Amino acid sequence: MLDPFFEPLADATGASVDQIKLIFCLLFSYPLGSVYIRIPTAHPEFKHIFSIVITFFYLVPVLNLYVGAIQLLVSVVGTYYLVERVQTSRMPWLVFLFTMGHLTINHIIRTFAEAGYETFEISGPQMVLTMKLTTFAWNVYDGRRPAEECDKWQTQQRVVDHPSLLEFCGFAFYFPGFLVGPYLTFNEYRALVSGSLYKAAEKAEEAESIAFDPMPHRLVPRGRKRVAFRKMIVGLIFLGIYVTFYPEANYHLTIEDEFEAKRLTARIIFLQFCGFFERVKYYAIWTLTEGASIQTGLGFTGYTKSGGTRWEGAANVDIWNIEFAPNLKVLLDSWNMKTNIWLRECVYKRVTPKGKKPGFRSSLATFATSAFWHGIAPGYYLSFFFFAFVQVAARQARSYLRPLVLPATYVPSRDAAPPPQTTLKQLYDYLGIIFTVAITNYGTLPFMLLTIDDSFVAWNNVAWYGHFVIGGALVFFYCGGTIIIQEIQAMRIKAEGMRKQREELNRLVQTGAITPSSSSSGAPTLPPLDEAAQEIEKELRGKGKDRED
């Protein structure tokens, strides 16, 4: 309906019409967010209706997703009545099968239609909606069981009072994050609409809000607009980088004859640039939608020590910790963060039997869910399968190699102080950044190329370096390498214990507590530092085994 308005922009930028439409919706959400936040909290129904109307405006006249809009409405209404009427513990799993099954059908349709990333169709918003609906089902389930059975996150998000259909639709169709995320929980949405999200700010800003805010019932902490528009500028910068450089550096070029004609070193280096520019488009859209969400008031997380406001609750990506991640865990925790929370809270924990710790089956179920959630293209599964081995190798490296660059007596734990940044430790971190980024750029090739043939051609054109690195590491660790490392670490601990023992002996001699002649008589009793060193060694080994498990 509005295609003639977007076509000239698409021709001028070289982007597809659907991509221009998506950016329009994200940017248009900024002024709409200023309207949304001014709707009085005394009339939450107006906020619900506002979100629903704007979302369907995006879906129907702008994106031309008429049938898709009806499908999403069916998912929302169907979930609402399933949650309300099924009172057994099977309810969350029924919702999961209903929503994921519907999503998988649309993934199949997308795959056979050969729709590329430049085409925006209904499976994108449906992926976000699936996270919302399944999370809501688990939140209601937690609200029906005793609070003492719930962990911290479950207690915070449990839903005790079933919402009206209008409130639920307002939550499901919350417009800033509907198209590409981030998703939010029902309690977060309810706190946003009611204004209770800012209760922590009431005492600090009560006087000022009365003086400057013409709507005293709308207490919104300062700094929201500044942060939102800063996110918008950052998102537009990344968008400009994408439009400028992506045609010259993307994964699809790695299967071309021109790429194969380059030297191997040049191909591997060029792949790193391709990986960055492939990520840039996600940085752009997720940063833009984060800013739009903040503009509506979502994402307030408290105050800094200097008194400024923090708006980090709507973030879906931590760009710095992705591009400079010292290990794979940091990178994965910083990428698509809301999806990670959903997988952890609604899959990983839920498939674990009560009273037991999550293990291999929980990890496998989480892996399978993430893969099906993304789609049915073979490239997704090649990437996930590869990264499963990468995670195993990374855990082994952290358990056995990392202690060698730390002080011999340092015992890592949650309460322990950060290890000293020695030259060796810094070198280890720098090498970790290089290896993490290089392996990530290699492993995500199939994720973007989608087909098995293209994925194998691309991997072959960079000499399968990721497989050799990870395979070599696993062979080393599981074929005697860990034993060698443990022996080296044991020698380091023993040497450190002897050094401390000598220092203590020298200290006692210098202070006159003992004399050199008496030290050989065996009369003085020195602290059992060697025994302490042995205990530390045992603890380190135990920690390593725990991590490995």
Side-chain angles (χ1 to χ4, degrees), residues 150-214:
C150 301
D151 61 24
K152 182 179 179 181
W153 187 89
Q154 293 165 356
T155 301
Q156 291 174 342
Q157 303 300 336
R158 65 198 300 263
V159 176
V160 179
D161 301 323
H162 198 71
S164 66
L165 182 59
L166 177 62
E167 183 182 18
F168 184 69
C169 288
F171 154 69
F173 295 107
Y174 170 69
F175 70 94
F178 184 81
L179 297 178
V180 295
Y183 95 103
L184 73 167
T185 66
F186 180 77
N187 280 350
E188 289 171 339
Y189 175 77
R190 180 174 274 178
L192 171 67
V193 171
S194 66
S196 61
L197 180 65
Y198 317 118
K199 290 298 183 182
E202 288 186 356
K203 292 183 179 180
E205 296 192 15
E206 184 175 2
E208 188 171 347
S209 66
I210 294 174
F212 295 101
D213 195 339

Side-chain angles (χ1 to χ4, degrees), residues 213-522:
D213 195 339
M215 302 173 65
H217 295 291
R218 181 179 63 85
L219 179 63
V220 181
R222 297 166 296 185
R224 171 184 58 87
K225 292 183 180 179
R226 182 185 69 254
V227 175
F229 284 107
R230 185 169 68 239
K231 295 291 183 181
M232 183 183 73
I233 292 172
V234 171
L236 290 175
I237 291 173
F238 278 116
L239 186 62
I241 294 173
Y242 172 73
V243 172
T244 304
F245 296 103
Y246 182 78
E248 306 298 326
N250 61 78
Y251 280 158
H252 292 277
L253 297 177
T254 62
I255 60 176
E256 301 292 338
D257 294 337
E258 293 81 358
F259 180 78
E260 188 176 358
K262 299 176 184 289
R263 292 181 179 179
L264 177 59
T265 305
R267 279 178 263 161
I268 293 176
I269 294 174
F270 183 72
L271 175 63
Q272 313 314 313
F273 288 97
C274 293
F276 172 74
F277 293 119
E278 289 283 359
R279 290 189 293 275
V280 157
K281 60 177 173 286
Y282 295 102
Y283 296 159
I285 61 174
W286 280 337
T287 305
L288 286 174
T289 194
E290 179 189 354
S293 300
I294 293 173
Q295 186 72 345
T296 66
L298 185 69
F300 175 66
T301 52
Y303 292 89
T304 63
K305 293 181 180 180
S306 60
T309 53
R310 297 168 59 229
W311 299 83
E312 301 169 351
N316 202 31
V317 64
D318 186 340
I319 298 170
W320 180 267
N321 277 333
I322 292 172
E323 297 302 327
F324 299 96
N327 55 66
L328 186 69
K329 184 181 185 304
V330 172
L331 188 148
L332 293 178
D333 288 345
S334 305
W335 175 265
N336 206 353
M337 295 186 289
K338 296 295 184 179
T339 300
N340 290 337
I341 294 173
W342 171 64
L343 290 170
R344 182 187 69 230
E345 300 295 339
C346 297
V347 182
Y348 188 68
K349 289 183 179 179
R350 305 296 182 170
V351 298
T352 303
K354 186 177 180 180
K356 295 185 178 181
K357 292 183 178 181
F360 175 75
R361 291 184 180 179
S362 300
S363 299
L364 185 62
T366 305
F367 160 79
T369 301
S370 181
F372 273 103
W373 181 76
H374 279 92
I376 65 167
Y380 295 142
Y381 298 88
L382 285 176
S383 285
F384 281 118
F385 189 69
F386 174 76
F387 278 111
F389 288 97
V390 174
Q391 285 183 302
V392 174
R395 283 198 298 267
Q396 293 294 313
R398 186 170 181 83
S399 297
Y400 295 103
L401 290 181
R402 187 171 180 267
L404 296 180
V405 302
L406 300 177
T409 55
Y410 179 80
V411 180
S413 66
R414 292 191 176 185
D415 299 328
Q421 292 299 308
T422 61
T423 302
L424 192 59
K425 172 65 165 57
Q426 290 176 338
L427 178 61
Y428 177 85
D429 288 340
Y430 292 144
L431 289 175
I433 292 172
I434 294 172
F435 275 99
T436 298
V437 174
I439 292 298
T440 299
N441 291 332
Y442 175 89
T444 51
L445 268 168
F447 194 90
M448 302 305 299
L449 296 177
L450 299 180
T451 68
I452 293 178
D453 290 343
D454 287 348
S455 300
F456 283 180
V457 169
W459 272 345
N460 186 65
N461 284 342
V462 290
W464 301 86
Y465 77 80
H467 283 79
F468 281 111
V469 170
I470 299 304
L474 293 175
V475 169
F476 170 77
F477 286 124
Y478 287 101
C479 294
T482 56
I483 297 175
I484 296 173
I485 294 174
Q486 284 178 324
E487 290 176 352
I488 294 173
Q489 182 67 354
M491 293 172 59
R492 294 179 69 233
I493 293 173
K494 185 175 182 179
E496 180 66 14
M498 293 176 65
R499 185 187 67 81
K500 288 185 175 294
Q501 198 170 26
R502 288 195 301 268
E503 288 180 354
E504 180 67 9
L505 181 60
N506 291 334
R507 185 187 68 80
L508 293 174
V509 170
Q510 290 172 2
T511 57
I514 62 173
T515 63
S517 59
S518 64
S519 63
S520 61
S521 65

